[in-house]
């Protein structure tokens, strides 16, 4: 069930987000324009390498999406054995040490592994991406005429990652997460589908960020 949120709270939340975005844009501009001598001595090589690692991780997540979002560690009784005419066979199979004759492997969908890759419930190269994007050593690589594009791509990346994580969390409510199915059967996974879309948007934003910082380096 949806919980109604009072309109004043929604307005306050929207205002807070807008204010935060303004402060972040100002911080981007100041850090990017400061002389290198005023910054702590640091190299952006590590930061850029982590961005590349994050890009590779997103690509791997998308290529392994089915394996990561389908959990086939479940088993259920073969339905045909439950019929009256198969009573003797069921009793025979039940006395056997092997359960392969009485059970079949089934699956459920899950967003648990997706959230781990996104760095929400486990450490990954996508963890704390906002802090990484604001590091002065990295901002120094952003050409002045690309600063606005960098800011926009940074915000898009963080919003897409947050949306992907939220959808992966809600995937536990999908019908296929509550009801078992056999591998290969078509399933209804609206929240996982939304998570995949957001991951694709994050990939596009990250590609733009890498393009900018590598051009400036």
């Amino acid at each position: 069930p949806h919980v109604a949120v009072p309109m004043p709270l929604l307005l306050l939340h929207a205002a807070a987000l807008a204010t935060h975005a303004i402060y972040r844009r100002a911080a981007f501009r100041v850090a990017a324009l400061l002389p290198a001598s005023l910054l702590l001595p640091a190299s952006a090589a590590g930061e850029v390498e982590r961005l590349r690692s994050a890009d590779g991780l997103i690509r791997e997540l998308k290529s392994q999406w089915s394996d990561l979002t389908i959990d086939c560690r479940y088993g259920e009784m073969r339905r045909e054995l439950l019929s009256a005419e198969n009573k003797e066979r069921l009793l025979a199979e039940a006395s056997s040490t092997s359960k392969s004759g009485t059970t079949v492997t089934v699956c459920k969908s899950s967003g648990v592994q997706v959230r781990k890759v996104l760095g929400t419930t486990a450490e990954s190269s996508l963890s704390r991406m906002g802090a990484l994007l604001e590091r002065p050593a990295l901002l120094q690589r952003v050409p002045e005429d690309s600063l606005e594009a960098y800011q926009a791509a940074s915000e898009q990346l963080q919003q897409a990652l947050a949306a992907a994580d939220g959808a992966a969390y809600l995937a536990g409510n999908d019908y296929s997460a509550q009801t078992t199915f056999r591998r290969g059967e078509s399933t209804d996974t609206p929240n996982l589908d939304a998570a995949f879309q957001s991951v694709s948007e994050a990939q596009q934003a990250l590609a733009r960020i890498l393009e900018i910082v590598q051009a400036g380096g």
Side-chain angles (χ1 to χ4, degrees), residues 51-66:
L51 289 177
R52 290 180 182 139
S53 176
D55 179 63
L57 188 60
I58 289 178
R59 293 175 186 274
E60 185 71 12
L61 172 60
K62 292 182 65 177
S63 68
Q64 300 295 324
W65 189 263
S66 293

Side-chain angles (χ1 to χ4, degrees), residues 23-208:
Y23 280 127
R24 288 184 67 252
R25 291 191 184 99
F28 275 138
R29 185 171 296 279
V30 170
L33 296 180
L34 279 174
S37 59
L38 297 182
L39 298 173
L40 291 174
S43 169
E47 283 82 352
V48 174
E49 186 56 37
R50 184 178 159 190
L51 289 177
R52 290 180 182 139
S53 176
D55 179 63
L57 188 60
I58 289 178
R59 293 175 186 274
E60 185 71 12
L61 172 60
K62 292 182 65 177
S63 68
Q64 300 295 324
W65 189 263
S66 293
D67 291 334
L68 292 172
T69 57
I70 297 179
D71 184 357
C72 294
R73 295 177 298 170
Y74 303 92
E76 66 179 23
M77 183 73 69
R78 292 183 182 274
R79 295 186 181 95
E80 62 269 20
L81 293 178
L82 299 178
S83 60
E85 59 268 23
N86 286 324
K87 181 178 179 180
E88 291 185 5
R89 181 185 170 193
L90 176 60
L91 292 174
E93 294 286 1
S95 63
S96 173
T97 56
S98 173
K99 300 303 179 185
S100 61
T102 58
T103 60
V104 59
T105 300
V106 291
C107 313
K108 289 184 179 181
S109 63
S110 171
V112 171
Q113 297 303 320
V114 173
R115 300 191 74 210
K116 286 183 179 180
V117 174
L118 292 175
T120 306
T121 58
E123 189 71 19
S124 84
S125 55
L126 290 168
S127 301
R128 298 181 297 279
M129 184 57 63
L132 171 65
L133 295 170
E134 294 178 6
R135 288 183 182 174
L138 188 60
L139 292 173
Q140 283 289 311
R141 296 176 65 106
V142 179
E144 186 175 354
D145 59 357
S146 297
L147 187 58
E148 292 293 335
Y150 180 84
Q151 293 169 356
S154 296
E155 291 176 9
Q156 180 186 357
L157 173 59
Q158 293 175 78
Q159 290 169 3
L161 290 175
D165 179 67
Y169 174 78
L170 291 175
N173 297 326
D174 285 348
Y175 179 78
S176 58
Q178 305 289 332
T179 306
T180 58
F181 57 91
R182 297 191 181 188
R183 184 182 288 276
E185 289 182 346
S186 59
T187 57
D188 183 28
T189 56
N191 286 300
L192 279 178
D193 294 344
F196 186 86
Q197 177 62 36
S198 293
V199 167
S200 296
E201 293 172 1
Q203 181 183 19
Q204 294 173 4
L206 182 52
R208 178 60 177 143

